[in-house]
Amino acid sequence: MAKLMTISAFDTNPRRPGIGVGQNHRPLGGRRKRIMDVTVASIALVLAAPIMLVVALLILATDGGPAIFSHTRVGFNGRRFACYKFRTMVANSQQVLADYLASNPEAAKEWEQNLKFKNDPRVTFLGHILRKSSLDELPQLINVLRGDMSCVGPRPVVPDELQRYGACAIDYLRTRPGLTGAWQVTGRDAIDYPSRVSLDSRYVRNWSIWADVVILVRTVFAVMRFDHAS
């Protein structure tokens, strides 16, 4: 994979449609991919609505905080958007993270390498269950319908994280990030960060509508394997 480099343009105004590394007029897949996204997301949202209601009530009952968590992610052409998930962490997660990194050098090294932990101290008991089952990502169906995301695509990343994609950032910016993708059906936590970036880049460069169909089918089986969930 190409040597990682810093792209300072990622720190520009979040309302701008692009970030200075090239402008694409239409996301990868164009109209065909968008029609499939809207169709799949609409059906999935209707079917998942009762489950989503139960999950929201459980979060409110066990933790008392808001059920939905939103975080800024980078989308097509560098456009930033609020990515929705069910909240799986404690309400003061930023403070918990800072204290944990300050007192645990090994954890700080793991965070620097992967931007995540295998055993995250911020995640609640219910949050672990939601993550293992991938139920925490169901609100992203709304992002798909809004056009922020696609059903299949690269893993959505925060602005600072995209800098680590180096030359592969150009591939990421060609498409909408995905609710699922090659990274999810290949193992998620079982692969390291550079391999994850490579998978995303390869997906974009070799995209076809049938590849999306295959990934969607494989996702159904992947979420049943808790050892492959985040």
Side-chain angles (χ1 to χ4, degrees):
M1 189 180 68
K3 183 179 180 181
L4 297 184
M5 61 185 178
T6 299
I7 304 176
S8 61
F10 294 144
D11 295 327
T12 56
N13 190 327
R15 294 186 178 182
R16 290 182 60 182
I19 56 177
V21 293
Q23 294 292 315
N24 300 298
H25 296 294
R26 301 181 68 180
L28 182 74
R31 187 181 299 274
R32 287 185 300 163
K33 187 171 175 65
R34 182 59 183 156
I35 289 174
M36 187 174 76
D37 284 343
V38 173
T39 301
V40 172
S42 297
I43 295 173
L45 192 58
V46 170
L47 295 177
I51 298 175
M52 294 175 68
L53 177 59
V54 171
V55 170
L57 292 175
L58 285 174
I59 294 173
L60 291 172
T62 59
D63 194 56
I68 300 292
F69 170 81
S70 69
H71 203 272
T72 301
R73 294 290 191 272
V74 179
F76 171 64
N77 264 346
R79 190 179 190 86
R80 301 183 188 185
F81 67 95
C83 183
Y84 302 124
K85 295 183 72 173
F86 280 122
R87 186 170 60 83
T88 59
M89 296 183 179
V90 294
N92 62 333
S93 60
Q94 292 300 319
Q95 184 60 51
V96 173
L97 174 63
D99 293 343
Y100 187 62
L101 293 178
S103 61
N104 193 326
E106 287 300 318
K109 182 178 179 180
E110 181 183 1
W111 180 259
E112 182 180 355
Q113 291 176 341
N114 302 314
L115 293 181
K116 65 189 306 183
F117 303 113
K118 286 188 176 180
N119 298 298
D120 197 320
R122 300 169 296 171
V123 180
T124 65
F125 176 75
L126 178 60
H128 279 294
I129 297 174
L130 295 177
R131 289 186 171 202
K132 286 295 184 181
S133 61
S134 294
L135 291 176
D136 63 314
E137 296 174 355
L138 285 177
Q140 290 174 18
L141 290 168
I142 299 173
N143 286 118
V144 175
L145 292 178
R146 290 179 53 179
D148 301 323
M149 297 177 62
S150 176
C151 287
V152 182
R155 174 180 172 271
V157 299
V158 299
D160 289 343
E161 188 177 356
L162 187 56
Q163 297 181 26
R164 301 181 63 180
Y165 272 56
C168 293
I170 295 175
D171 294 326
Y172 178 95
L173 297 170
R174 288 177 56 199
T175 186
R176 298 180 177 99
L179 176 60
T180 185
W183 54 275
Q184 185 169 25
V185 300
T186 305
R188 297 176 77 167
D189 283 354
I191 58 177
D192 59 23
Y193 196 93
S195 298
R196 195 164 66 196
V197 172
S198 180
L199 279 172
D200 284 344
S201 182
R202 195 180 313 141
Y203 162 80
V204 172
R205 295 182 184 186
N206 299 291
W207 177 84
S208 72
I209 197 70
W210 294 113
D212 279 6
V213 172
V214 170
I215 290 175
L216 284 172
V217 172
R218 291 182 61 188
T219 297
V220 175
F221 295 97
V223 296
M224 296 178 184
R225 298 186 59 185
F226 283 5
D227 58 314
H228 278 201
S230 62

